Amino acid sequence: MTPTRVRRTLDRLAYEVIERNRGGDVLVFGIRSRGTVLAHRLAAIIAAETGATPPVTHLDVRAYRDDRTDDFAVELGGAITSGWDVTDRDVVLVDDVLFTGRTARAAIEAVLAHGRPRSIQLVVLVDRGHREYPIQPDFVGAVIPTKHTERVVVEGEGDETHVFLDD
C-alpha cells in the first residue's frame, strides 16, 4: 500500500467508525506501538469530520498476552496509560496488522480490566488471516492474503506510512 492508499484507507475507516458510533463519540485505544500512531491519525480524521476530538491513548497489552515465555512482568492495571474508565463507553481498538488474533484478544482483556464498555470494536489497517482465535475485526483497511512465514510491515510516519510484504 502506498502512502496515498494508506491515507485514503484511514479516511474510509474513520467514516465507518463515525457511522457505526453515532458521530464518533468513542474512546480510541492504539495497541502498542504501531496501533498508537494509526489511532492518532484516525482520531484526527474523526475530529476533522465531526468537530469533536475523541480521546486517544496508548494500550500496552504485553501483560495480557497468553504466549509470553519470558519473565516479563507489568502491573496489570497499567495497560491504559490514561487511567480512563471505559464503563458504558464505546471503545475502538486500533492496530496495524491482524494476524493470529492473540494481540487483539489481549487488548480486549486489558480494556475489560478497566471497566465494562458498551462495546469494543476493532480497527485494523491490514488483515492477513491465519487466525488462532475466533477474532474478527469490525473495520478492515485491506485484506492481504499471506503465507504464514511472510510478514506485513507497516512503516513510516504520518502521510509517509506505507505497507509492504517482507519474506
Side-chain angles (χ1 to χ4, degrees):
M1 293 174 70
T2 64
T4 301
R5 184 162 175 219
V6 170
R7 249 188 327 276
R8 281 195 314 254
T9 300
L10 287 172
D11 284 343
R12 178 178 50 81
L13 291 170
Y15 284 109
E16 290 176 8
V17 169
I18 292 167
E19 280 184 14
R20 176 150 331 148
N21 293 285
R22 304 160 300 282
D25 181 25
V26 295
L27 297 176
V28 180
F29 292 169
I31 299 173
R32 181 185 171 268
S33 62
R34 295 294 312 166
T36 302
V37 173
L38 295 173
H40 282 284
R41 289 183 65 191
L42 192 74
I45 297 166
I46 292 170
E49 183 60 29
T50 66
T53 304
V56 181
T57 193
H58 165 87
L59 184 62
D60 186 347
V61 302
R62 291 176 292 178
Y64 294 89
R65 295 212 35 123
D66 65 352
D67 56 353
R68 297 221 49 104
T69 57
D70 57 6
D71 293 334
F72 182 80
V74 171
E75 181 183 330
L76 290 180
I80 298 174
T81 57
S82 68
W84 285 323
D85 182 13
V86 300
T87 301
D88 204 32
R89 296 292 307 268
D90 293 309
V91 172
V92 175
L93 301 174
V94 181
D95 206 0
D96 57 348
V97 178
L98 179 59
F99 181 37
T100 62
R102 289 183 179 280
T103 301
R105 187 218 48 85
I108 292 167
E109 193 173 320
V111 168
L112 292 174
H114 288 80
R116 186 168 188 255
R118 181 180 315 132
S119 71
I120 300 175
Q121 300 159 40
L122 178 60
V123 174
V124 296
L125 184 60
V126 175
D127 181 355
R128 59 173 289 200
H130 304 285
R131 222 69 87 240
E132 294 174 7
Y133 285 118
I135 301 283
Q136 295 301 317
D138 298 281
F139 310 99
V140 179
V143 175
I144 301 177
T146 63
K147 297 176 186 169
H148 202 276
T149 56
E150 291 177 313
R151 282 181 358 133
V152 173
V153 179
V154 178
E155 194 172 79
E157 295 294 322
D159 286 342
E160 298 305 314
T161 303
H162 60 279
V163 177
F164 61 92
L165 282 178
D166 187 25
D167 288 328

